[in-house]
Each structure stands twice: as C-alpha cells, then as structure tokens.
Amino acid sequence: MSQSIPLSWSTVDARLPEASVQVDKLSNHDLILRCQTGVRPDRVAFAELMRRFQTQVDRVLYHLAPDWADRADLAQEVWIRVYRNVNRLQEPAKFRGWLSRIATNLFYDELRKRKRVVSPLSLDAPRTLDDGEMDWEIAGDTPGPEEELTTREFYEQLRLAIADLPEVFRTTIVLREIEGMAYEEIAEITGVSLGTVKSRIARARSRLQTQLQNYLDS
C-alpha cells in the first residue's frame, strides 16, 4: 500500500483557486487559472468559461462574416483552439484580447482557404467626430421608405468599400470599432507597433470616407 502524503497549504500553488469553490462563483481571472490547471482544462470550468465569453466570440465572427452560414462551426473551432492552447496564455487578464485574436485569425485562415476576396464586415454609417473617431450611427427617429432605401444602399456600398481594404486594415477596424479595443491592445494582438496600428486605422477610415463621401454628404 502506498504511503499517503500529508498536504498543507504550503505545498499548494498559491495562485490557484480552491478546487472546492464552484466555478460559477469564480472571478474571470481565477476561472482561467482553473482552466490552466492540469494537462487539459477541467471540463466544468471550461464550460463556464465558454458560457461567459461565447457572446464575444459570436460578435467578432458576426461582424467579420455576417453572411456565412457556418459561423457556429467557426465558433466551435475557436473554442477548440482555446481548449488546446489556454495553458500558453501567460496573463489571464489579457484573455479577452487573446480570444479575439484567435477568432480573427481563424476567420482569415478560413477566408484564405476559400480564396474569397470579399470580406463582408458589417458596420453602421460612419461619421467623423472632432476627435477623429467615427460614430457609426445614422440620425433619424422614424425613417421613411426613401431613407430606408438609401440606408440599405449605403450598407451595401460600405460592405464593398471594406472588402477593398487590405486584410490588415480590416482586422484593425474590427478590433477598434467593433471590439472597442485600445490601440495598445490592438498592437499587442496584431504584433505591430503602436504607430503602425494608428496609421492603419487612420488610413482605413480615410479610405472608407473617400469611397462613401457621396453618402456622407447626402
């Protein structure tokens, strides 16, 4: 018979939450740590992680590919990659950005496989604000038929304009305008300098505004 080994708190990694704590009571930080325990994540903890962050994955994929019928399959693949690689995440506080990067990279991997040129990213009507940001709202309480037609035409032109953007520009626009990430976060996710991120976003906005100027003036 093997001899039992006494266990004390000093022998337990202090960074890990107690196993007895229900996963739905854990903070996001501790939940991610629980998922990083062992060779593979604890299934109960990982299911809770999916429940908390599924909306984020769905939102990213929707704005990248609103007309893809297999977005649910892409979302499932995102979580498969998270399950296999969550142990590699060094800073749990950066999980949201890491998750968005996985979803974005998966989309572009699939896009290249399909040899598609058009990336139907759906955003609302852009307006330039004083601080250089873009307000994606169209004013109007109850638009009439003519306004609705104009809006539909604008959205279609917007999709075409975004489809013309280089891939790196589309990615930064999604992370900035859809995910609302800070420039520093985007720089870390995309692996480029902060200056490059700002330049790409500025050039993307300028190009979209130029192509859609007729609609913005009307």
Side-chain angles (χ1 to χ4, degrees), residues 91 94 101 182-193 197:
E91 300 179 62
K94 297 181 179 180
R101 180 173 62 181
Y183 292 108
E184 293 79 5
E185 292 179 288
I186 299 174
E188 182 175 353
I189 288 174
T190 56
V192 299
S193 68
V197 168

Side-chain angles (χ1 to χ4, degrees), residues 1 17 30-31 38 70 88 94 99 120 123 146 148 157 171 189 205:
M1 180 180 296
D30 286 346
L31 180 62
D70 59 350
R88 299 181 182 181
K94 297 181 179 180
L99 181 62
L123 298 174
E146 183 176 351
E148 290 181 353
Q157 293 302 314
T171 300
I189 288 174
R205 288 171 176 163

Side-chain angles (χ1 to χ4, degrees), residues 107-121:
F107 167 75
Y108 285 115
D109 287 346
E110 183 64 22
L111 191 66
R112 283 187 286 268
K113 290 178 184 177
R114 300 182 185 193
K115 301 184 182 300
R116 288 187 53 162
V117 176
V118 177
S119 176
L121 174 62

Side-chain angles (χ1 to χ4, degrees), residues 2-205:
S2 61
Q3 184 179 5
S4 62
I5 302 175
L7 180 64
S8 65
W9 286 112
S10 61
T11 64
V12 179
D13 188 343
R15 80 186 190 113
L16 297 177
E18 296 181 54
S20 60
V21 178
Q22 295 181 349
V23 294
D24 61 340
K25 305 299 184 184
L26 294 173
S27 66
N28 289 340
H29 182 275
D30 286 346
L31 180 62
I32 294 166
L33 291 180
R34 177 70 65 82
C35 290
Q36 291 180 319
T37 305
V39 178
R40 290 298 183 197
D42 173 80
R43 291 186 179 276
V44 175
F46 193 77
E48 175 65 15
L49 190 71
M50 290 179 62
R51 186 190 69 79
R52 295 187 190 184
F53 291 95
Q54 183 63 52
T55 300
Q56 177 180 342
V57 173
D58 291 341
R59 183 176 64 246
V60 172
L61 294 178
Y62 171 77
H63 286 291
L64 285 168
D67 64 344
W68 284 18
D70 59 350
R71 284 202 314 273
D73 294 335
L74 291 179
Q76 183 177 18
E77 180 61 29
V78 169
W79 287 112
I80 290 174
R81 294 189 182 188
V82 172
Y83 184 83
R84 292 173 177 172
N85 297 286
V86 69
N87 281 332
R88 299 181 182 181
L89 179 64
Q90 299 297 317
E91 300 179 62
K94 297 181 179 180
F95 178 78
R96 286 184 180 275
W98 182 71
L99 181 62
S100 292
R101 180 173 62 181
I102 289 177
T104 303
N105 288 345
L106 176 65
F107 167 75
Y108 285 115
D109 287 346
E110 183 64 22
L111 191 66
R112 283 187 286 268
K113 290 178 184 177
R114 300 182 185 193
K115 301 184 182 300
R116 288 187 53 162
V117 176
V118 177
S119 176
L121 174 62
S122 176
L123 298 174
D124 296 329
R127 304 280 183 179
T128 303
L129 303 180
D130 293 339
D131 60 1
E133 297 294 325
M134 300 185 75
D135 176 17
W136 303 86
E137 296 289 341
I138 294 181
D141 296 327
T142 307
E146 183 176 351
E147 291 178 338
E148 290 181 353
L149 176 60
T150 301
T151 299
R152 286 198 298 269
E153 291 177 350
F154 175 84
Y155 287 158
E156 180 59 26
Q157 293 302 314
L158 178 60
R159 294 189 186 97
L160 294 175
I162 293 172
D164 285 339
L165 292 175
E167 178 181 313
V168 292
F169 290 177
R170 293 198 303 269
T171 300
T172 52
I173 283 293
V174 169
L175 294 178
R176 177 62 181 173
E177 305 294 354
I178 303 302
E179 286 300 290
M181 290 186 179
Y183 292 108
E184 293 79 5
E185 292 179 288
I186 299 174
E188 182 175 353
I189 288 174
T190 56
V192 299
S193 68
L194 182 61
T196 298
V197 168
K198 292 181 177 180
S199 175
R200 287 176 178 177
I201 292 176
R203 291 173 64 186
R205 288 171 176 163

